[in-house]
Amino acid sequence: MAKSTAQLHASPAALAYAQSLLELANEQKQAEAIGQELAILRQLVDENPSFREVLTNPSISVAEREQLLERIFRGKVSPLLFNTLGVLNKKNRLGLVGQIAQGYADLLDEQLGKVEVDLRVAQKLSPEQLEQARQSISHALSRDAVVHQYVDESVLGGVVMRVGDKLIDASVRYQLQAMKEQMLAAAPK
């Protein structure tokens, strides 16, 4: 059985918290809002090593972290997210916030029928070309594709796509390599 994107990027504990949080957010009809808050929280943790250290340092007591969380987040995030941070603090799991946020985002995208697609191209596509590619990919996958474009000069032409753990190579380089292998295989020995 293939693993979902969330299972590839999060530890089992982080994924369990992400799934539980998504279920609660769905019950409160706040799934997308919680996702946005988590994305901001993840960015805060990623961009501030000292804040990350405070969240994970075992020499800082649960009570001290609780006071810090209260000062920083009370009234600034949804009660659901604030309570989740409290639970994570009591369980000494605040270090998983980044993984939980990623797992939640992946699970939410899956729930909403979205799929993340990395598209490597030789030259940057115009907005119209990118939208056309997004529509074609969405149609082929029967899901709403969220396309991230990357320029890679090693791609001579065509595209290389990554969808979850699958790589689809439709580049000129790959096609030339395949033709070469076919010709060598067909050559008299």
Side-chain angles (χ1 to χ4, degrees), residues 7-49:
Q7 292 169 318
L8 296 173
H9 297 294
S11 70
L15 187 58
Y17 282 111
Q19 287 174 321
S20 296
L21 182 56
L22 181 59
E23 289 171 14
L24 292 169
N26 281 332
E27 287 174 14
Q28 297 180 14
K29 308 227 183 305
Q30 295 184 341
E32 291 183 60
I34 296 291
Q36 291 170 350
E37 288 182 343
L38 274 172
I40 293 167
L41 179 60
R42 180 180 184 195
Q43 183 179 359
L44 176 69
V45 170
D46 287 349
E47 292 177 357
N48 296 286

Side-chain angles (χ1 to χ4, degrees), residues 125-172:
L125 300 177
S126 70
E128 296 80 23
Q129 291 170 319
L130 188 59
E131 177 58 21
Q132 185 178 5
R134 188 198 69 74
Q135 288 178 6
S136 295
I137 294 166
S138 294
H139 180 73
L141 299 175
S142 299
R143 294 177 72 191
D144 185 21
V146 178
V147 178
H148 305 282
Q149 175 180 202
Y150 301 96
V151 175
D152 181 348
E153 291 162 6
S154 72
V155 176
L156 302 175
V159 297
V160 178
M161 286 188 302
R162 179 171 300 280
V163 181
D165 61 349
K166 292 186 176 36
L167 184 68
I168 302 161
D169 193 340
S171 66
V172 171

Side-chain angles (χ1 to χ4, degrees), residues 31-32 105-115 143-144:
E32 291 183 60
D106 292 342
L107 290 168
L108 181 60
D109 282 349
E110 199 172 299
Q111 175 180 301
L112 296 174
K114 294 182 180 179
V115 63
R143 294 177 72 191
D144 185 21

Side-chain angles (χ1 to χ4, degrees), residues 47-179:
E47 292 177 357
N48 296 286
S50 57
F51 182 61
R52 183 174 43 245
E53 175 67 21
V54 168
L55 294 180
T56 59
N57 189 330
S59 68
I60 298 173
S61 73
V62 168
E64 289 173 305
R65 268 196 300 271
E66 188 174 323
Q67 290 175 351
L68 179 70
L69 292 172
E70 182 81 29
R71 282 196 315 266
I72 295 173
F73 295 111
R74 170 75 74 188
K76 295 182 180 92
V77 297
S78 65
L80 179 57
L81 183 57
F82 182 78
N83 292 340
T84 300
L85 291 173
V87 169
L88 292 171
N89 182 41
K90 287 183 176 109
K91 303 273 187 188
N92 287 312
R93 297 291 195 157
L94 283 171
L96 294 177
V97 164
Q99 289 181 47
I100 293 168
Q102 182 62 53
Y104 185 97
D106 292 342
L107 290 168
L108 181 60
D109 282 349
E110 199 172 299
Q111 175 180 301
L112 296 174
K114 294 182 180 179
V115 63
E116 299 278 331
V117 177
D118 291 337
L119 188 66
R120 287 186 10 227
V121 294
Q123 295 179 344
K124 185 172 175 140
L125 300 177
S126 70
E128 296 80 23
Q129 291 170 319
L130 188 59
E131 177 58 21
Q132 185 178 5
R134 188 198 69 74
Q135 288 178 6
S136 295
I137 294 166
S138 294
H139 180 73
L141 299 175
S142 299
R143 294 177 72 191
D144 185 21
V146 178
V147 178
H148 305 282
Q149 175 180 202
Y150 301 96
V151 175
D152 181 348
E153 291 162 6
S154 72
V155 176
L156 302 175
V159 297
V160 178
M161 286 188 302
R162 179 171 300 280
V163 181
D165 61 349
K166 292 186 176 36
L167 184 68
I168 302 161
D169 193 340
S171 66
V172 171
R173 176 185 298 255
Y174 176 77
Q175 292 170 12
L176 290 172
Q177 182 64 32
M179 285 174 32

